[in-house]
Amino acid sequence: MMHGRVVLCVLVAMTAPATATPFDDEPTVRAMKDELARSIGQLHRPGASKPYFISYAVWELQTLTIYADLGALTSSDQSARRDVDVDLRVGDYAFDNSNVLDPDTERFRSPFRERIGYGLPIEANYDADRHALWAATIREYDQATKLLDHKKAVLAKAPPPTTRVPSFSKESRTAIVDTHVRAAPDRTRLEQLAKKLSAVLRTNPDVHEGTVAIEAKTGKQYFVSSEGSASVRPVSLLQIEIRCTARADDGLPVRDMRAWVVSSIDELASEGDMVRQVEDLSRELSAIRTAPVVHHTVAPVVFDGLAAGQVVRALLAENLVGTPARVGERPAAKNRTSTRLDGDTELANDVGNQILPAGTRIVDDPTIGRLGTAILVGGYHFDAEGIAAQPVTLVENGTLQQFLMSRTPRPGFDHSNGHATGRAYRAGPTNLLVSSTKAASSAEMRRRVLALAKNQPTGYVLVVEQLAGDELDRRDLGWSSYPRSVFPHATVAKRVYADGREEWVRGATLSRPSLTDLVLLGGQPTVYSWGKWKYATSIAAPALLFQNILVSPIYPDDNEQPSIVARPQPP
Amino acid sequence: MTDLGKHPDPPYFGSYTVTDERSTYIRASFGALESSSEQRARRLHVAIRIGNHARDNTHAFAGEPMLYSAFDSSLPIEDDEYAIRSALWRNTDEAYQRAHQQLALELRPGTDGPDDFSPAKPSEYFEPPAQLAIDRPAWEKRVRELSAAFRRHPELPMGMVTFTSTTETRYYTNSEGTRYQVSEPRASLEVRIGFLTERFVARSPDRLPSDEMIRAKLEALATEASALVKAPAIDDYDGPAILEGATAGLFFHEVLGQLVEYRRDQKESLELVSRIGSPILPDIFDVYDDPTIGTLNGRELAGFYRYDDEGIPGQETSLVEHGVLKAVLTSRSTVPNTTSNGHGRNRQGLPIAQQGNLVISAARTVDGDALRRMLVDEVRRQHKPYGIVIHRLGGPAYTDSRWRLTRSFSLWPLVVFRVYPDGRQEIVRTAGIEGDRFQVLAEILAASTDVDTFNGLDDSSSSPSVLVRRIQVRPPTAPALAVTPLPPPPVQTGRR
């Protein structure tokens, strides 16, 4: 998404005058700037603090959502939405209302969820935009003054911190203007594609459900702040996912999927290639449906393909975020054996320590759109706080170097590195690239796997190709039935025996791997991407070999019985 | 059903409901569109019952929740027979498995109670799918222009105008032989300022009120909203009250209507059934529910339907005659010795009895001025400093207490006036009215001649304004943020 485009990027000191740009005359931008200037100057309730900082991030998105099941459309909807995230701060940079759990509205709200903005008209209209901004601003102001008092009260009861950090870092002003908005993809073309891909599963009698979901988003994000930042950038994401389910003869559901996540339709694989991948998916689903259920065992496990990125998401991605937990946050674990709060990194004391095998390198880079030929979708010109995107080396030679940071500092990390990704005050991964200078080639990895299999009492190593992606999403949304301490189910996995034979298995639950049990990284990365409402993330990771994983079988519950009536025969 | 019938626990009843829906939603504020979308969907509802009419998988004991017997999903919106049949097969399988699992719970101890499912004679009805031609750009223009009236009231932050249009064609078939195809178009136009709402419903967009009338309602709402910002808070109040206009309909919908929606898993329903034959209202009142009427006194009613969701034709049911309770609204989940009276409608997949068009009428009425004089007389008689007129209530469009029916009720009054014996009145802020359902119904003193209608999302309640001897009103707990910390921005008409 960062290619072939003229980007005016001006980083200026906070005292320098703003640069006039053509987008300044857009009605929305004028409304944002005018209301911002009025609010920062005049917004005040007697007896309460005045705001010292206000920013508006306006998101303008057209969304196309298409579903098809077994060759027929089940829905096709087009919608437009504009909303504004208001960051209004009272107090000062040293101590303000930010990053505190609102006891009235956020008691059960996960810190990993995207922030919900205030609605704006879907058509730019100076008066209507400005009126909506005013209404949102006064609500945020009353909320901010309440939370400042609440934050003081909570901290007054807590022991004093050993290191004080400011609430909000001081950063350079930015003016980044890219008004090149991609055209929305053709709806008819995507409808035909959804039907064509899902139709591949019609002829497979094992398929219970075969659904294609397409979501295409195009639009732009505006950002203005009372510090003088004023930026705009295009936003575009196309996600195509085909999910299919089957029932094994014992009633246990079997799930499999393929996904394509790109920034624009031009980056999509050819239709023929996608159809071939779905044909492969159909065969794979049937093979897994009749595969044996795993046994209880402790075994080495290779996370390969999508599962490599998924395991990085499950274990590491949020632990590379340095934003401290919200004041008043709940403990991260129910058993309270640790004092760590939900949202705070498990690696808080590990900067400078080796956390991964020697040679491992992890970089997060929102400035790139490709890794080789693979598409990365987590990039942007500037983050949710208007800070310019920048690459960050997080792990070098296995040693943790630094964290992903928003403008909410933590001890030792005073500044943003441009990674605020739409969760309130919180940083997040964008394009997270995992590699190793000591990577094993595919042949070396296989030799190692076969050798390990030979030494196992069971005679095999488990290779996991997919984890349940929906469980990973639900963990981030804070669903209580999907705690972050529980590792997602392995939905696509096989045994690799010492003689090289491979056998699909199903019904595998894995214990949460420990980073200290990661023993080998492969060389060729696979990109795993997912999008939320406003931001997307890509993780590029090679095959990851862990040892000492507890593998347990899942059994069907009373509601999971074989179908009694056979599926209708295709015409 | 044939293949499932070979199973050791065969279903004795099955039904499919397919709802083919086309809808348009347009919302605008301050002269600009906030949302505009069209949707097409086909929804499938599968109901499977295992056991027999007396005792099946849905069986609930008093005080325990009824069990779902159905499964909801989406169907292809294209006429692809194989894809549709596959979806029907999959959902039937899921519904049967769920029902079979529920059957195991049948082993719970409990009293026998009435049958779980009443028998019904098969019937057939077919009408062609309705076609509503919506000129979306024209409606966008109309809604946008109506909402521009809020530019005259920039101090009100949450004003909007919303148009919706839905054409629903329902296809129903069950294993008893009932088949119907009904088509129910609806349109609505809503003006809203915060929680203050005026909603108009009609069976087609061209029957919605004129712009002139909507603008008048919008201005009245804006006046109320502006007055509320500066209004004093009411003190704790326990005294006489008038429920005025459509508010009286909403009051009956919530206080009486929900009570007569029979649920065998609700204690209050069981108690109500024991009161059949006893007075529940003053003897001037009659109450009936009739989902087959589309209008009353020229007003469109939102509760119109020909068939309920259990394959039973909608029918008029007399509920109260001369103040005496005669019957309750029933689905096929039965009251002892009765059958459904065509009020079984799905709520989140569970068919429960629900109001259609509730109509409250009074044999003796007075005009509005006389009702106010009676209020003042009652204020004096009770030695109160003032009485209250409840002009606007918040209600079922925003909260649904159908899942936990209680003997007490609590409603949210939005616009309330204090009326003093000398005739002065002032608007006040309140937090809630509450009381005992049976007690408040018994304490209705008088009714007005004028009848008004409250339209919910898919039901309605029409009644005269009423004077009640005692209503308790709670004061607001939080002080009003009467003064905005920043006045609204100036409106720069003419420049976009």
Side-chain angles (χ1 to χ4, degrees), chain A residues 95-317:
Chain A
F95 187 82
D96 68 21
N97 56 289
S98 66
N99 211 32
V100 56
L101 185 76
D102 183 343
D104 298 328
T105 61
E106 296 181 321
R107 192 175 294 276
F108 303 106
R109 190 169 171 81
S110 159
F112 306 101
R113 287 182 91 131
E114 270 189 349
R115 192 175 175 146
I116 300 169
Y118 294 90
L120 288 182
I122 57 172
E123 47 192 7
N125 175 306
Y126 176 83
D127 282 336
D129 280 350
R130 194 168 169 192
H131 189 261
L133 290 167
W134 162 72
T137 306
I138 57 175
R139 283 186 67 177
E140 279 296 303
Y141 174 67
D142 286 329
Q143 176 77 353
T145 52
K146 180 192 87 172
L147 286 179
L148 182 64
D149 291 342
H150 173 68
K151 189 173 176 180
K152 285 176 184 168
V154 172
L155 290 175
K157 292 179 194 161
T162 49
T163 312
R164 285 193 186 279
V165 290
S167 291
F168 197 39
S169 66
K170 292 186 177 175
E171 309 289 350
S172 297
R173 185 169 68 196
T174 55
I176 301 171
V177 177
D178 181 353
T179 53
H180 181 276
V181 176
R182 281 202 171 94
D186 181 68
R187 182 173 178 174
T188 307
R189 180 178 164 191
L190 289 180
E191 286 177 349
Q192 292 303 322
L193 181 63
K195 290 171 67 168
K196 190 166 189 174
L197 294 179
S198 64
V200 172
L201 301 171
R202 266 169 101 98
T203 52
N204 183 343
D206 296 331
V207 172
H208 212 74
E209 194 167 14
T211 303
V212 169
I214 298 182
E215 186 180 75
K217 277 186 288 205
T218 49
K220 51 189 168 181
Q221 180 201 359
Y222 298 94
F223 182 88
V224 300
S225 79
S226 55
E227 291 171 340
S229 291
S231 299
V232 63
R233 71 175 180 101
V235 176
S236 109
L237 187 70
L238 171 61
Q239 300 183 86
I240 301 178
E241 190 170 277
I242 180 160
R243 287 177 178 272
C244 53
T245 61
R247 279 252 157 116
D249 289 343
D250 58 9
L252 198 65
V254 173
R255 294 182 281 169
D256 204 347
M257 56 84 77
R258 295 288 185 275
W260 298 265
V261 185
V262 292
S263 294
S264 98
I265 198 164
D266 312 329
E267 297 170 340
L268 206 56
S270 73
E271 206 171 281
D273 184 44
M274 293 171 85
V275 167
R276 278 190 291 281
Q277 288 194 54
V278 180
E279 289 167 349
D280 177 52
L281 167 71
S282 179
R283 285 189 291 273
E284 191 172 283
L285 183 80
S286 289
I288 298 172
R289 194 188 80 80
T290 53
V293 174
V294 296
H295 303 301
H296 278 288
T297 185
V298 174
V301 174
V302 178
F303 293 92
D304 199 9
L306 279 189
Q310 289 176 314
V311 79
V312 171
R313 179 182 178 187
L315 297 183
L316 205 49

Side-chain angles (χ1 to χ4, degrees), chain B residues 102-390:
Chain B
Q102 289 167 345
L103 200 62
L105 301 174
E106 283 287 285
L107 300 174
R108 292 178 304 178
T111 54
D112 286 339
D115 286 358
D116 287 337
F117 199 52
S118 65
K121 287 181 186 160
S123 66
E124 290 193 351
Y125 177 84
F126 296 94
E127 63 186 14
Q131 305 287 339
L132 277 189
I134 304 295
D135 183 346
R136 190 168 153 198
W139 272 102
E140 286 178 343
K141 182 169 180 286
R142 185 177 174 194
V143 173
R144 190 190 283 121
E145 287 175 359
L146 284 169
S147 80
F150 287 115
R151 294 160 76 99
R152 288 196 295 275
H153 304 280
E155 75 284 2
L156 301 174
M158 294 167 72
M160 61 182 75
V161 178
T162 305
F163 167 76
T164 58
S165 155
T166 307
T167 311
E168 242 185 38
T169 302
R170 273 189 299 147
Y171 305 85
Y172 178 91
T173 181
N174 72 20
S175 55
E176 294 167 335
T178 291
R179 295 190 305 153
Y180 70 76
Q181 177 180 316
V182 293
S183 208
E184 291 164 357
R186 295 160 200 264
S188 73
L189 197 60
E190 183 180 274
V191 177
R192 175 181 282 226
I193 303 174
F195 295 107
L196 304 184
T197 306
E198 281 284 355
R199 189 160 172 272
F200 308 94
V201 300
R203 238 170 305 291
S204 70
D206 56 350
R207 295 169 69 169
L208 287 167
S210 66
D211 285 1
E212 188 183 7
M213 184 183 192
I214 290 163
R215 286 201 181 95
K217 292 285 186 185
L218 188 151
E219 289 300 329
L221 272 190
T223 304
E224 289 172 10
S226 297
L228 271 176
V229 172
K230 301 164 199 150
I234 198 169
D235 300 320
D236 268 321
Y237 180 81
D238 186 353
I242 288 176
L243 291 141
E244 188 176 63
T247 287
L250 198 156
F251 168 80
F252 280 111
H253 179 279
E254 291 290 291
V255 174
L256 176 64
Q258 290 190 2
L259 199 59
V260 296
E261 292 173 342
Y262 175 74
R263 290 278 305 270
R264 68 180 181 207
D265 57 343
Q266 302 278 350
K267 270 194 318 189
E268 305 306 324
S269 276
L270 300 177
E271 186 186 333
L272 189 73
V273 169
S274 71
R275 290 189 181 216
I276 290 176
S278 303
I280 189 173
L281 276 166
D283 62 6
I284 60 169
F285 286 103
D286 289 339
V287 182
Y288 66 94
D289 189 282
D290 189 353
T292 68
I293 51 174
T295 58
L296 185 74
N297 302 330
R299 292 189 70 117
E300 301 254 1
L301 303 179
F304 171 82
Y305 59 85
R306 288 195 174 82
Y307 269 79
D308 74 2
D309 293 326
E310 294 184 306
I312 306 294
Q315 51 199 273
E316 181 183 338
T317 305
S318 178
L319 298 165
V320 177
E321 294 173 13
H322 305 300
V324 174
L325 181 66
K326 292 292 182 185
V328 292
L329 301 174
T330 54
S331 65
R332 294 180 69 173
S333 157
T334 57
V335 179
N337 307 317
T338 65
T339 55
S340 169
N341 51 33
H343 285 84
R345 298 166 80 189
N346 286 335
R347 275 286 173 275
Q348 297 174 10
L350 188 67
I352 60 171
Q354 190 192 314
Q355 299 160 73
N357 296 312
L358 192 70
V359 180
I360 294 95
S361 61
R364 289 193 306 279
T365 59
V366 296
D367 66 23
D369 290 341
L371 199 66
R372 287 218 169 201
R373 285 197 297 275
M374 291 175 76
L375 170 68
V376 170
D377 290 345
E378 191 61 25
V379 166
R380 291 194 177 109
R381 201 186 63 74
Q382 293 186 30
H383 306 293
K384 301 286 181 188
Y386 55 83
I388 62 167
V389 173
I390 300 171

Side-chain angles (χ1 to χ4, degrees), chain A residues 25 27 30 34-35 38-39 42-45 69-80 119-128 130-131 134-135 138-139 141-142 195 202-203 207-210 247 557-571, chain B residues 3-4 7 29-42 73-78 80 82-83 85-87 89-90 93-94 96-99 101 136 144 150-151 153-158 481-496:
Chain A
D25 202 39
R30 284 192 291 113
D34 290 351
E35 199 48 29
R38 199 173 72 101
S39 297
Q42 301 174 31
L43 182 56
H44 185 218
R45 204 179 272 289
D69 188 10
L70 297 179
L73 290 180
T74 50
S75 71
S76 172
D77 299 313
Q78 196 159 18
S79 65
L120 288 182
I122 57 172
E123 47 192 7
N125 175 306
Y126 176 83
D127 282 336
R130 194 168 169 192
H131 189 261
W134 162 72
I138 57 175
R139 283 186 67 177
Y141 174 67
D142 286 329
K195 290 171 67 168
R202 266 169 101 98
T203 52
V207 172
H208 212 74
E209 194 167 14
R247 279 252 157 116
D557 65 28
D558 291 343
N559 208 19
E560 294 170 337
Q561 300 298 321
S563 301
I564 293 161
V565 179
R567 180 176 148 181
Q569 290 301 307
Chain B
D3 285 1
L4 286 174
H7 193 270
S29 179
F30 227 68
L33 288 182
E34 288 192 327
S35 181
S36 176
S37 61
E38 285 177 325
Q39 280 203 319
R40 170 84 198 285
R42 269 190 190 147
S73 178
S74 60
L75 276 188
I77 54 175
E78 299 179 298
D80 180 327
Y82 177 66
R85 282 195 67 183
S86 293
W89 160 77
R90 183 172 63 240
D93 188 58
E94 303 256 7
Y96 178 82
Q97 304 244 9
R98 177 188 285 180
Q101 192 184 10
R136 190 168 153 198
R144 190 190 283 121
F150 287 115
R151 294 160 76 99
H153 304 280
E155 75 284 2
L156 301 174
M158 294 167 72
L481 291 174
V483 181
T484 171
L486 183 69
V491 177
Q492 298 185 358
T493 49
R495 190 180 176 202
R496 283 177 66 85

Side-chain angles (χ1 to χ4, degrees), chain B residues 435-481:
Chain B
D436 178 284
R437 290 174 194 269
F438 294 107
Q439 192 177 335
V440 76
L441 292 173
E443 292 195 321
I444 295 175
L445 298 172
S448 73
T449 311
D450 293 341
V451 172
D452 209 338
T453 297
F454 160 76
N455 275 312
L457 296 177
D458 58 3
D459 50 17
S460 77
S461 175
S462 303
S463 93
S465 301
V466 291
L467 170 63
V468 183
R469 181 176 289 124
R470 277 183 60 212
I471 269 186
Q472 295 169 49
V473 185
R474 279 185 283 117
T477 51
L481 291 174

